[in-house]
């Protein structure tokens, strides 16, 4: 394998794959859209976009950009992260190089370029979504959807693959993702509560509430408990607040209600 091929991630997508992905996720495209493939290679996705839908390819490698011109589409030679564009795309679709710095650079540029409602559809390695903090970062800017696709659509590839959709809207939905926001929140809790939560013995939320109540002098309001457990780093989903309320209700023998929203450790 040549070094350039490796560095630039030059692995073209089989046309049947781009056809199937465009049909599955972008069947609504019409002449009012403008599609960009930001790393178009020889032009697999460009060939899959119906002729009546405007589409432009961007490709950093001049020789490959020439190949892509055979699709009949306008091809700009350059780096998608920096290239000058005098139009606004509505959809960005493709298979960027599997290098997370480049992928994040592409998403950053895409977010700046797209109007509200604009979408990005990328083939990505599954490791793009392996940590909670990375995905929570994406979810702050986009609604997310991902689905697994077979890795052997690329001969010899040994990485699990996904097709991911990033939608620039206010819904901030996460389809095909579970526990990412929660994991990010748990990681943001003060260390003493993280330690209790990673202990393998006993009902962890009961242990967390007990520890917090002890630190608050044996009695506390629900609001005090939230503030104590959250610490100085406000978290985003606060799913754990519901866990605290549930725990107070469930372990009534341990947490005695002594007033409106006020509890003490039962003796
Ligand atoms: C994995 S290939 C995919 C090509 C095409 N999207 C497809 O699916 O067939 C990635 C392509 O992106 C090009 N490329 C790499 N970095 C780029 C960048 N920063 N801007 C534009 N193109 C880039 C590479 O030369 C390569 O042709």
């Amino acid at each position: 394998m040549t070094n350039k091929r490796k560095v630039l991630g030059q692995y073209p997508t089989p046309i049947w794959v781009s056809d199937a992905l465009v049909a599955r996720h972008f069947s609504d495209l019409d002449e009012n859209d403008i599609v960009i493939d930001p790393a178009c290679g020889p032009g697999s996705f460009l060939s899959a976009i119906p002729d009546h839908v405007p589409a432009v390819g961007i490709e950093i490698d001049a020789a490959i950009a020439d190949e892509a011109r055979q699709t009949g589409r306008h091809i700009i030679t350059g780096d998608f992260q920096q290239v000058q564009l005098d139009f606004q795309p509505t959809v960005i679709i493709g298979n960027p190089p599997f290098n997370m710095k480049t992928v994040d650079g592409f998403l950053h540029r895409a977010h700046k370029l797209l109007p509200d409602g604009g979408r990005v559809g990328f083939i990505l390695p599954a490791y793009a979504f392996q940590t909670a903090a990375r995905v929570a970062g994406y979810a702050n800017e986009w609604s997310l959807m991902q689905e697994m696709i077979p890795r052997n659509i690329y001969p010899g590839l040994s990485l699990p693959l996904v097709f991911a959709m990033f939608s620039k809207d206010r819904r901030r939905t996460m389809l095909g993702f579970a526990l990412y926001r929660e994991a990010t929140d748990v990681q943001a809790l003060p260390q003493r509560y993280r330690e209790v939560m990673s202990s393998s013995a006993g009902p962890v939320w009961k242990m967390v509430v007990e520890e917090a109540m002890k630190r608050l002098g044996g009695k506390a309001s629900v609001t005090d408990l939230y503030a104590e457990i959250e610490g100085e780093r406000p978290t985003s989903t606060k799913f754990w607040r519901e866990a605290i309320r549930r725990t107070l209700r469930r372990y009534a023998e341990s947490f005695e209600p002594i007033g409106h929203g006020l509890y003490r450790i039962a003796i």
Side-chain angles (χ1 to χ4, degrees):
M1 186 194 305
T2 65
N3 196 37
K4 183 171 83 168
R5 185 168 183 218
K6 205 169 164 190
V7 170
L8 294 178
Q10 294 178 329
Y11 305 92
T13 306
I15 300 230
W16 74 263
V17 172
S18 27
D19 258 347
L21 288 171
V22 169
R24 183 173 168 81
H25 293 290
F26 296 97
S27 59
D28 59 325
L29 291 174
D30 64 26
E31 53 286 347
N32 299 314
D33 283 292
I34 304 185
V35 179
I36 286 185
D37 181 339
C40 71
S44 165
F45 278 99
L46 294 174
S47 309
I49 309 289
D51 286 346
H52 66 283
V53 178
V56 173
I58 298 169
E59 171 56 53
I60 205 166
D61 182 323
I64 297 187
D66 270 345
E67 261 184 74
R69 290 192 177 98
Q70 287 168 24
T71 61
R73 298 292 194 174
H74 179 54
I75 308 295
I76 301 169
T77 307
D79 179 341
F80 172 62
Q81 294 167 89
Q82 288 153 17
V83 80
Q84 291 265 349
L85 297 173
D86 57 6
F87 61 92
Q88 184 179 41
T90 57
V91 163
I92 295 178
I93 177 168
N95 168 24
F98 290 175
N99 162 323
M100 289 318 294
K101 208 166 152 239
T102 310
V103 170
D104 285 348
F106 276 26
L107 286 170
H108 182 70
R109 181 90 204 266
H111 200 273
K112 283 209 270 188
L113 289 172
L114 289 169
D116 282 344
R119 290 168 290 166
V120 177
F122 278 164
I123 293 178
L124 291 176
Y127 64 68
F129 296 140
Q130 71 192 332
T131 64
R134 171 178 286 281
V135 173
Y138 295 143
N140 283 338
E141 309 230 296
W142 309 90
S143 286
L144 302 175
M145 184 290 294
Q146 62 94 22
E147 57 186 6
M148 199 143 192
I149 57 175
R151 70 167 201 222
N152 55 357
I153 54 180
Y154 298 98
L157 184 73
S158 58
L159 296 170
L161 292 181
V162 298
F163 184 75
M165 191 85 93
F166 302 75
S167 305
K168 186 173 165 180
D169 59 36
R170 315 258 150 225
R171 290 179 299 135
R172 301 291 192 269
T173 47
M174 294 175 80
L175 207 65
F177 296 85
L179 299 189
Y180 282 85
R181 287 198 171 111
E182 289 85 341
T184 313
D185 277 3
V186 167
Q187 280 151 18
L189 295 179
Q191 190 176 353
R192 76 180 68 89
Y193 296 112
R194 260 184 294 145
E195 275 167 15
V196 177
M197 290 192 66
S198 50
S199 107
S200 52
V204 286
W205 282 109
K206 177 169 179 260
M207 286 152 58
V208 165
V209 174
E210 248 162 20
E211 168 74 13
M213 222 177 258
K214 275 187 208 145
R215 289 178 60 85
L216 291 166
K219 74 173 180 187
S221 70
V222 180
T223 322
D224 293 339
L225 286 169
Y226 293 161
E228 164 62 20
I229 291 168
E230 181 168 47
E232 316 249 293
R233 294 163 67 194
T235 59
S236 55
T237 51
K238 306 194 189 325
F239 80 99
W240 46 270
R241 291 189 173 192
E242 171 51 28
I244 292 170
R245 291 194 296 274
R246 209 172 40 235
T247 303
L248 290 167
R249 285 194 303 269
R250 182 160 160 197
Y251 297 99
E253 74 288 357
S254 303
F255 307 114
E256 184 190 342
I258 51 170
H260 186 69
L262 199 62
Y263 294 82
R264 75 170 170 210
I265 297 179
I267 308 144

